[in-house]
Amino acid sequence: MPIIQATIIEGRSPEALREFIRQLTDSAVNALGAPAETVKVVVTEVKPTHYGSGNHTVAEKNAAKSAGN
């Protein structure tokens, strides 16, 4: 029983999340030969202020991009 855990920045539509889960499930089925009904997908959404890279949060990077436009 594969369990796939994905952490993403919040803000996607329910339809986009559903498609993401579908594609992750399909990938496990294709790569591992696992029956689709045994594939579990856990999506954790985090706030842009709670995720960072390069010493800056995603929120800070987004604000800098917006200020530059």
Side-chain angles (χ1 to χ4, degrees):
M1 166 178 64
I3 301 171
I4 301 168
Q5 296 178 324
T7 303
I8 62 172
I9 301 298
E10 69 182 4
R12 274 108 176 154
S13 69
E15 296 80 17
L17 291 171
R18 179 68 191 95
E19 180 62 15
F20 184 52
I21 292 168
R22 186 193 67 73
Q23 288 191 31
L24 289 173
T25 300
D26 288 350
S27 292
V29 169
N30 292 330
L32 304 174
E37 60 274 7
T38 69
V39 178
K40 310 300 184 223
V41 178
V42 179
V43 178
T44 304
E45 293 183 286
V46 296
K47 297 176 187 252
T49 56
H50 290 66
Y51 183 90
S53 66
N55 201 33
H56 298 284
T57 68
V58 171
E60 292 168 334
K61 290 180 180 186
N62 289 344
K65 281 184 197 176
S66 294
N69 289 334

